[in-house]
Amino acid sequence: TPSYGENIFLGWFSGGKQYDFSAPVTQNITIQALWEKVYTSDLYVAMGAPTAIANGFASSSGANILANTSQHFDRGSIEVTVSSSLPSDSGIIFCVENNGASSFWEHNVSYYFFFVSIEGHAYLGKVNNGKWSALKTLPIADFSQGDSYTIKVILNGTDIFCYVNGELYFGYSEIRFLTGGGFGLRTGTGSVASTDFKVNGKVTNE
């Protein structure tokens, strides 16, 4: 079994499918080793003052951002379970481009986000150089303020797929895709718990 740092070897692939070594070879081909990238999911407080709780973080007041800008994430999945007793735009941020400031704020920053919105919607949006825009939004079925919702983003190249409680809500892709590799969490108000944060990436090495 080949090794590639601490990453987990998943097998040899060709054309997006696992390669069958028993198949006859009639022309030159390229096969790739597919790995599961190991992320520590370490986050630093980039904005606000969230507190550590069992398996996650809680926001005490105002907007909070926890980020990881040292491990470049460009393919795979990010998920977290969010619960809030107050309406709040809270969830996952990814493709974060750091503005280089000593303290993080959303001025001159770009990223995508997938939130449980203040209206109880699954809300995919984009911050482009500090300017917010909505990309896709759908009401969460049987939404109830204070319940827990597990939200997940799968990033595959320039395709984004968004899930709530294991159900695919929508996909999205665009030409001018953000290229940042940072990721993390954002909460829009106090009384938000973000738990069971998980990051899983896939990388290839020919």
Side-chain angles (χ1 to χ4, degrees), residues 29-93:
I29 61 171
T30 298
I31 62 174
Q32 294 180 314
L34 184 64
W35 311 82
E36 187 172 73
K37 190 170 182 177
V38 177
Y39 286 90
T40 63
S41 299
D42 290 339
L43 300 174
Y44 69 91
V45 177
M47 185 175 77
T51 57
I53 59 174
N55 299 321
F57 303 90
S59 59
S60 56
S61 63
N64 298 263
I65 288 180
L66 296 110
N68 183 320
T69 55
S70 62
Q71 301 179 71
H72 189 92
F73 177 85
D74 59 6
R75 187 178 299 269
S77 65
I78 304 175
E79 69 177 85
V80 68
T81 298
V82 177
S83 59
S84 176
S85 59
L86 300 173
S88 172
D89 288 331
S90 299
I92 297 164
I93 60 174

Side-chain angles (χ1 to χ4, degrees), residues 112-142:
Y112 294 103
F113 59 85
F114 182 47
F115 290 164
V116 176
S117 80
I118 58 176
E119 297 90 0
H121 288 195
Y123 178 20
L124 175 67
K126 181 179 182 179
V127 179
N128 191 359
N129 198 26
K131 297 179 180 179
W132 284 60
S133 59
L135 303 177
K136 292 273 190 173
T137 179
L138 278 176
I140 296 174
D142 300 319

Side-chain angles (χ1 to χ4, degrees), residues 130-202:
K131 297 179 180 179
W132 284 60
S133 59
L135 303 177
K136 292 273 190 173
T137 179
L138 278 176
I140 296 174
D142 300 319
F143 177 80
S144 179
Q145 196 70 60
D147 284 354
S148 295
Y149 295 92
T150 298
I151 60 174
K152 179 177 181 179
V153 165
I154 294 179
L155 180 61
N156 184 18
T158 59
D159 296 325
I160 303 169
F161 301 94
C162 300
Y163 296 77
V164 179
N165 293 340
E167 180 182 347
L168 176 63
Y169 267 58
F170 42 72
Y172 179 81
S173 187
E174 64 179 355
I175 297 174
R176 295 186 178 181
F177 202 84
L178 297 179
T179 59
F183 57 89
L185 303 170
R186 185 187 189 280
T187 58
T189 186
S191 302
V192 181
S194 304
T195 57
D196 298 318
F197 179 65
K198 299 174 185 176
V199 183
N200 179 284
K202 300 268 190 305

